[in-house]
Amino acid sequence: MHPIRRTAAWSRSIPGGRDGRRMLAIALVDRVGSGLWASVSVLYFTYVCDLSLAQVGTLAAVAGALGIAGAPTGGRLADRFPITRLLLAVQLMRAVASCALLATDNYVLLVVFSAAGGFGDRAASVLTKLYATRLAGPERVRYQAFHRTVANAGWAVGGLAAAAALAPGTTGVYQWLLAGDALSFLASALLTLRCAEPPSPSRTVLTSKDPATRSRPANPWRDRTYLAYVATEAVLFLDDAVFKVGLPLWIAHASNVSHGLVPLLMVLNNVMVVALQVTLARFGTTTAAARNLLVPLSAAFALGGGAMALSATGGALTATLLLTAAAVAFTMAEMLHATVSWELSVALAPGASQGAYLGVHGLAQSAQRTVGPLAVTAAIATGPVGWSAFGMLIALTCAIQHRLVRERLSPTALSVPTVTVSEH
């Protein structure tokens, strides 16, 4: 097929129509900017703001803790206000926070502005997922797969651009990269203005004039099953810590392979996600199918942990092959879990409280960002046995989640109807 025709066909296959494609364009712009900043943030605080290693670590930890509130706050507000307006406000908030970082080297203000940016980032993540849920209806998993593919491509472009920009080695480049991040958020905000507001069952319930149709929205903080589900999700998100912390430290301290393997495995992870995420999403387009994917997901985690453990027992070539196999296994786990999570997190949430529930679900990733580095560091410290236990523990958590959601999902919930709620 001709490349132009192939691109057009790919575009037409995206759920959500024109607004779905616009939101994917927003994701691309957003993640290009994030890729520019994420790869150099530590260097910026070190060389431009002249912070010590301890100060940089504390800044990241404190700002991350303060930003956790972004997910539940964004979700709760989305049940009451138009989601496009909230996305516009959040993107502007992120742009202002990035610009503010450029204007100061005061440590307290750097923490505050970083926390504001983190708050906005986590709120935007939940709002974007909720937008896809409302816009794409029963095709939400497939749409999220396109979204994640585009987002990963954006991260790659931003990261490569940052690497090229850093070649001259001047500190001024860091400021330009941060400015590029701020401009990406501003551009995303402007693009959001062109997106139509999707139907919202929660706001229909809240604004209905008929008392018979009005009911008090469910509270996710009182839903023990959903909270238990979110707790298992925090464990399944640990694949993120493997690539950001586990693999680099394991290669650096416990293997005899070249350190140059680290970026190559990161590239492999990114390429696999871009190439395979949409295809794998086809196996989780219903709630029942998504739940069944927890079985191969548990196997992928177990294999990844086992390969990491075995990589310490052979020579350089054997270790390289096993580490590559581990990266493939954990990337498969990452993609399978993304598919499962997109569907179950929505299917388990009452329609009138989707925003609040997805906001609480967003805390799973926030918790993983705190606990994940500690978990993989513990696995590294205990050697091959630690990695085997790491993989098996997550595999067991998959089994627990599989059983946990079974009782909640009735037979009628296993096929998701199209959302056709009117707000008038």
Side-chain angles (χ1 to χ4, degrees):
M1 182 183 291
H2 192 277
I4 296 178
R5 293 178 181 175
R6 186 186 301 124
T7 301
W10 191 86
S11 177
R12 287 193 299 269
S13 69
I14 297 172
R18 182 176 300 174
D19 288 317
R21 293 191 292 272
R22 285 173 177 166
M23 194 56 68
L24 291 184
I26 292 171
L28 179 63
V29 173
D30 183 319
R31 291 308 170 186
V32 168
S34 296
L36 290 174
W37 171 241
S39 56
V40 302
S41 59
V42 172
L43 300 177
Y44 176 86
F45 291 127
T46 300
Y47 296 117
V48 177
C49 300
D50 199 27
L51 301 184
S52 67
L53 179 62
Q55 285 178 313
V56 173
T58 304
L59 183 150
V62 174
L66 294 175
I68 286 176
T73 302
R76 176 69 69 177
L77 290 174
D79 285 334
R80 296 179 177 273
F81 302 100
I83 195 168
T84 49
R85 296 179 190 173
L86 291 172
L87 274 170
L88 173 64
V90 166
Q91 296 290 18
L92 290 176
M93 176 184 181
R94 297 167 78 192
V96 170
S98 294
C99 289
L101 286 174
L102 282 169
T104 184
D105 58 1
N106 178 276
Y107 187 69
V108 174
L109 291 179
L110 289 174
V111 172
V112 172
F113 297 146
S114 296
F119 180 98
D121 180 68
R122 291 170 188 179
S125 178
V126 170
L127 292 172
T128 301
K129 180 178 179 181
L130 190 57
Y131 187 94
T133 298
R134 294 175 179 176
L135 182 71
E139 292 189 281
R140 56 179 176 252
V141 170
R142 189 159 165 266
Y143 179 82
Q144 287 281 27
F146 280 106
H147 186 277
R148 192 161 189 269
T149 299
V150 170
N152 271 268
W155 270 105
V157 171
L160 290 172
L166 290 176
T170 60
T171 57
V173 172
Y174 298 116
Q175 295 170 314
W176 281 109
L177 292 174
L178 179 53
D181 187 32
L183 287 174
S184 75
F185 298 141
L186 181 59
S188 296
L190 294 175
L191 289 170
T192 302
L193 290 172
R194 302 185 62 193
C195 293
E197 180 69 19
S200 169
S202 58
R203 287 170 55 220
T204 301
V205 171
L206 288 172
T207 60
S208 173
K209 296 181 180 179
D210 183 1
T213 63
R214 301 177 72 174
S215 60
R216 188 173 183 177
N219 186 343
W221 296 106
R222 296 180 180 178
D223 190 331
R224 295 181 179 178
T225 300
Y226 198 83
L227 291 177
Y229 163 72
V230 171
T232 61
E233 283 286 88
V235 177
L236 300 191
F237 275 119
L238 285 173
D239 60 82
D240 182 64
V242 170
F243 282 98
K244 289 183 177 178
V245 180
L247 271 169
L249 287 181
W250 184 248
I251 289 174
H253 297 286
S255 73
N256 55 358
V257 303
S258 169
H259 293 179
L261 182 63
V262 174
L264 293 178
L265 294 182
M266 301 298 182
V267 171
L268 174 63
N269 168 262
N270 198 269
V271 169
M272 285 185 64
V273 171
V274 171
L276 299 175
Q277 185 69 78
V278 173
T279 300
L280 287 176
R282 297 173 183 172
F283 297 98
T285 53
T286 67
T287 307
R291 177 174 173 265
N292 289 336
L293 285 180
L294 285 166
V295 177
L297 175 59
S298 65
F301 275 121
L303 289 172
M308 290 288 284
L310 291 173
S311 68
T313 62
L317 177 59
T318 300
T320 298
L321 293 175
L322 286 168
L323 287 168
T324 302
V328 170
F330 280 120
T331 301
M332 289 297 298
E334 175 187 341
M335 293 186 290
L336 288 171
H337 176 237
T339 301
V340 174
S341 183
W342 291 330
E343 176 61 25
L344 295 187
S345 61
V346 175
L348 293 170
S353 301
Q354 278 183 349
Y357 271 70
L358 291 182
V360 171
H361 180 264
L363 292 174
Q365 280 186 300
S366 299
Q368 184 280 139
R369 290 175 184 175
T370 301
V371 178
L374 299 177
V376 295
T377 301
I380 293 171
T382 50
V385 174
W387 277 115
S388 296
F390 179 87
M392 292 305 299
L393 174 64
I394 307 180
L396 177 61
T397 304
C398 291
I400 293 173
Q401 186 178 111
H402 188 274
R403 181 177 180 82
L404 177 68
V405 302
R406 181 181 61 184
E407 298 177 1
R408 176 70 167 261
L409 299 172
S410 65
T412 57
L414 297 182
S415 60
V416 184
T418 303
V419 178
T420 57
V421 181
S422 171
E423 296 200 34
H424 301 288

